[in-house]
Amino acid sequence: MNVYVVLSCSTTVLSRAIRWATGAEFTHAALALDPELEDMFSFGRRRAGNPFVGCFKRERIDDELYRRMPVLPGAVIEVPVTAQQREVVDAQVARFALDSGAYSYNHAGLVGRGSESSTRFVCSEFVYHVLRSAGVCDLGVPRWKVSPQMLLRVPGDMVFRGDLKQYRPLTLDGTRVRIAA
């Protein structure tokens, strides 16, 4: 049983500014519940054109924001979980989805001046919060200090690194699923 940490670095102004300020390879994180990355969740832009209004949302690699980019650099980490941990992860994500209006974007956390809030998150805070709540990992830092780059330390196997638009889940024999064009 697995969940997936999906890291990326878009070409948006905000992403480029974060990368410039931090030197990080990845500037965004999401949590996927399936190897196809169909059920992928994070905190991000409510609308593609406005980086300042963020929310909890379901994401897709073919969302409007990513569709405009010829390449989407990223990585996928397959994180093994027990059945009990998976139940907690699923319940946490369902709670966020059910009460999505109660959550908002942690703008202060975006610039490293945050504090832990029960209702404000940035993308990496959300991913880490869910994994830590389920007992999957503890990176030894407060939730609001976790960056997408730090999520590379989550225990698991990097099953993909490259253009996320080219990502395909592995089959049982270790080959990538082919998708007809």
Side-chain angles (χ1 to χ4, degrees), residues 134-177:
V136 174
C137 69
D138 186 346
L139 299 178
V141 295
R143 182 187 83 205
W144 62 273
K145 286 190 174 187
V146 174
S147 68
Q149 197 70 23
M150 290 175 72
L151 293 173
L152 287 168
R153 299 189 343 226
V154 168
D157 295 319
M158 186 169 304
V159 294
F160 183 84
R161 190 177 204 129
D163 180 0
L164 285 173
K165 292 181 175 196
Q166 302 301 316
Y167 170 80
R168 303 294 179 265
L170 293 174
T171 62
L172 292 176
D173 67 1
T175 60
R176 296 258 169 230
V177 171

Side-chain angles (χ1 to χ4, degrees), residues 4-110:
Y4 300 83
V5 174
V6 182
L7 303 172
S8 62
C9 185
S10 71
T11 58
T12 65
V13 172
L14 183 58
S15 181
R16 289 192 319 256
I18 292 169
R19 192 169 184 188
W20 176 83
T22 64
E25 179 181 8
F26 301 112
T27 58
H28 184 65
L31 181 66
L33 304 179
D34 63 300
E36 295 81 18
L37 312 183
E38 291 293 321
D39 291 321
M40 190 165 67
F41 301 91
S42 189
F43 273 75
R45 298 167 184 237
R46 184 177 306 273
R47 290 181 191 82
N50 186 347
F52 302 108
V53 179
C55 63
F56 173 77
K57 63 187 283 188
R58 182 174 181 184
E59 294 187 340
R60 297 179 52 93
I61 299 298
D62 62 354
D63 281 347
E64 179 185 352
L65 177 69
Y66 302 127
R67 238 187 346 256
R68 295 186 268 161
M69 298 171 205
V71 174
L72 180 59
V76 178
I77 302 167
E78 185 177 68
V79 181
V81 294
T82 65
Q84 184 179 6
Q85 289 170 328
R86 179 57 190 249
E87 283 181 29
V88 174
V89 166
D90 289 348
Q92 287 279 333
V93 171
R95 183 175 59 85
F96 274 85
L98 184 63
D99 297 330
S100 62
Y103 300 101
S104 59
Y105 200 72
N106 183 2
H107 290 94
L110 186 62

